[in-house]
Amino acid sequence: MHGSRLERVVRMEGSPDGERGVGTEGGAGGGAQGGADTAERVMPVPPGALTYSAADEEKRRGVRRMKALATGLLLAVALVYGLAKWGQSAGAGAWAGYVAAAAEAGMVGALADWFAVTALFRRPMGLPIPHTAIIPTKKDQLGRSLGDFVGENFLSGDVVRLRLRTVGIASRLGTWLSRPEHADRVTAELATAVRGALTVLRDSDVQAVVGEAITRRADAAEVAPGIGAMLEKVVADGGHRRVVDLVCVRAHDWLVAHGDSVMGAVTGGAPGWTPRFVDRKVGERVYKELLRFAAEMRDMPDHPARGAVDRFLADFARDLQSDTDTRARVERLKSEILGRGEVQDVIASVWASVRGMIVAAAEDERSELRLRVRAGILSLGSRMAADDRLRQKVDGWLEDAAVYVVTTYRDEITSLITDTIASWDAEHTSRKIEAHIGRDLQFIRINGTVVGALAGLCIYGLTRGLGG
């Protein structure tokens, strides 16, 4: 019997009996119809709906057993009362009056407590008595009161701060993180989170964001003054001389390797009416002068041409910082360069390279990234465990963050309670609550019977002792 009942337990709000949605009742001939009915009745549980599980059904069976016990005690007291009154009328003696008085008071106490307990969940005997069926009729009001109670007593800034200070999160966290196995676990979890986040992100979206951010930042900032200041410092420190040395060496080497090309360019640009041998002589002369000039610049640090390069770079550095026309030209050149597709492709490819490096480092347990993260976690844990000032700072940050959350979003948190309770079915809520606390409430009926009987016995005895 219990098995069939459990098969009919509802996992959603439904009929007052809480038995809608998983029904398997039906005889041998009603299988198809029962299946169709079940398919029609089964509905998905809406978010926040009050569910009724097999554990709740087990609790309800316990409540029914306690109800039977309390009712049986009431019937037993009523039977004792009837026998005592019969014995009293039959002249059984004074003791019958005491028993009758105790039983009568026990019945009154039992009935009064039965009414009080029943009035919480339903109307006693279906009668429309005021202030009964309190939970079904006052459910929304109770939800609002519960939300207000939680907001005032649990989501108070002072309460949260005091509780966090008592817990000592920083000290516990520091001790926990200072252990190598825990640092390994945190490092592994962080690596998993990083890999998951990078997997979820679409490369095209991130590349677009990175490219747009770099381009916008470059467009917003004028680069000429910064380049000029940097160039001025490089020239003042002589840092450009190595570049000039390299250019001179490469220019001389190129002239040595491409002498025919240089002479061919000179002779090819000569007028058509000049003799060929004259063109060759001129070409050879030009080539030798260029080669000599390149060799002198390469070998003579104080060559006048090198000084001219120094003066040009110094003047250009000043123009980049102060000359309006030069700065405008640099800005136009910057915009043209940034607007080229090749540059945008390079900017976008930066994300792919960075992503690949991060994923590879996160997957490799012996990568430098993970080893450094692990070492940092261990160091942080040791410092938090030993440094009282650091612990106080961390605790202060956590307290401030928690207080900010509860004070800023207290109404949203409490509304979650009130709105959820308001969405519950009233009758189903009553059954759910009764399943959880009904067994203890039945003890009130039993205690009322016993206490009432003892009180009646005392009152009757006191009355008889005073001559009543």
Side-chain angles (χ1 to χ4, degrees):
M1 177 178 180
H2 288 166
S4 62
R5 180 63 179 271
L6 285 177
E7 290 175 347
R8 294 184 284 119
V9 170
V10 196
R11 302 293 293 185
M12 55 171 287
E13 292 182 316
S15 65
D17 292 334
E19 298 172 355
R20 179 185 169 200
V22 195
T24 58
E25 292 182 309
Q33 182 64 37
D37 293 343
T38 301
E40 293 177 358
R41 289 197 300 266
V42 174
M43 296 174 62
V45 180
L50 193 65
T51 59
Y52 196 80
S53 63
D56 295 327
E57 181 64 19
E58 182 64 28
K59 289 183 176 68
R60 281 189 59 80
R61 284 199 291 269
V63 172
R64 286 194 291 270
R65 287 193 293 268
M66 289 304 302
K67 281 184 178 180
L69 178 60
T71 302
L73 182 59
L74 171 60
L75 294 176
V77 172
L79 179 61
V80 170
Y81 174 75
L83 293 175
K85 294 299 289 185
W86 175 78
Q88 190 177 20
S89 63
W95 63 268
Y98 284 92
V99 174
E104 183 179 11
M107 285 191 299
V108 173
L111 290 172
D113 288 338
W114 165 82
F115 181 89
V117 170
T118 304
L120 287 174
F121 305 103
R122 60 189 61 84
R123 300 191 183 280
M125 303 177 66
L127 299 176
I129 303 173
H131 303 293
T132 57
I134 294 175
I135 291 178
T137 57
K138 301 288 186 179
K139 173 180 65 69
D140 294 347
Q141 182 178 343
L142 292 173
R144 288 191 296 270
S145 299
L146 178 60
D148 294 340
F149 177 80
V150 171
E152 294 173 2
N153 296 278
F154 293 92
L155 300 181
S156 166
D158 294 336
V159 172
V160 172
R161 191 179 297 276
L162 179 61
R163 181 58 182 168
L164 290 178
R165 191 170 301 165
T166 303
V167 172
I169 296 178
S171 177
R172 296 187 180 188
L173 181 61
T175 303
W176 191 84
L177 290 177
S178 62
R179 300 180 62 179
E181 61 270 23
H182 294 160
D184 291 338
R185 178 180 176 184
V186 173
T187 303
E189 294 296 336
L190 288 176
T192 302
V194 169
R195 290 199 305 270
L198 294 179
T199 302
V200 171
L201 293 175
R202 292 193 303 177
D203 287 347
S204 58
D205 294 338
V206 178
Q207 288 171 357
V209 171
V210 172
E212 193 271 338
I214 294 177
T215 303
R216 185 175 66 251
R217 184 72 177 269
D219 285 338
E222 187 179 0
V223 298
I227 295 176
M230 180 180 67
L231 180 59
E232 185 177 40
K233 182 173 178 57
V234 169
V235 173
D237 295 339
H240 67 292
R241 291 189 182 124
R242 291 187 179 181
V243 178
V244 175
D245 292 341
L246 177 62
V247 171
C248 291
V249 170
R250 295 300 301 271
H252 181 271
D253 294 344
W254 188 88
L255 287 173
V256 171
H258 300 85
D260 294 339
S261 299
V262 174
M263 288 187 291
V266 174
T267 57
W273 51 266
T274 58
R276 293 283 182 179
F277 73 94
V278 174
D279 295 340
R280 279 197 304 273
K281 289 293 183 179
V282 173
E284 290 175 358
R285 184 64 180 175
V286 170
Y287 172 70
K288 289 179 180 178
E289 288 298 323
L290 287 174
L291 192 61
R292 182 184 60 80
F293 178 78
E296 289 177 352
M297 282 200 65
R298 181 193 64 185
D299 300 332
M300 298 173 58
D302 297 331
H303 194 278
R306 282 178 175 260
V309 171
D310 293 344
R311 290 190 297 273
F312 167 78
L313 292 177
D315 293 342
F316 185 57
R318 285 192 297 271
D319 290 342
L320 286 173
Q321 298 179 74
S322 58
D323 185 67
T324 305
D325 184 59
T326 302
R327 291 168 60 174
R329 290 184 178 184
V330 171
E331 287 302 307
R332 288 195 296 270
L333 178 62
K334 179 193 70 175
S335 299
E336 292 175 1
I337 293 174
L338 291 175
R340 294 185 64 85
E342 299 87 346
V343 176
Q344 292 297 319
D345 292 341
V346 171
I347 294 175
S349 66
V350 172
W351 163 248
S353 301
V354 172
R355 177 182 179 277
M357 289 188 297
I358 294 176
V359 170
E363 291 176 346
D364 184 6
E365 294 184 358
R366 307 307 301 171
S367 67
E368 186 68 19
L369 176 63
R370 290 189 60 163
L371 291 177
R372 287 182 177 272
V373 170
R374 180 182 182 276
I377 293 173
L378 286 172
S379 175
L380 176 62
S382 300
R383 288 184 57 196
M384 289 176 62
D387 191 342
D388 185 61
R389 292 182 58 186
L390 179 59
R391 287 199 303 271
Q392 291 178 359
K393 284 185 178 180
V394 174
D395 283 335
W397 295 335
L398 293 174
E399 291 170 13
D400 293 340
V403 169
Y404 173 79
V405 170
V406 299
T407 55
T408 305
Y409 302 101
R410 177 163 50 197
D411 293 339
E412 286 78 1
I413 297 173
T414 55
S415 66
L416 176 64
I417 299 174
T418 56
D419 294 345
T420 301
I421 294 178
S423 67
W424 292 346
D425 177 75
E427 185 65 25
H428 196 64
T429 302
S430 178
R431 289 171 58 83
K432 181 86 169 181
I433 296 175
E434 185 178 14
H436 283 264
I437 66 172
R439 193 170 184 274
D440 294 325
L441 292 177
Q442 297 309 312
F443 276 107
I444 295 177
R445 293 177 57 190
I446 296 173
N447 292 337
T449 304
V450 175
V451 172
L454 294 175
L457 180 62
C458 291
I459 293 172
Y460 183 81
L462 183 61
T463 303
R464 292 293 299 260
L466 294 176

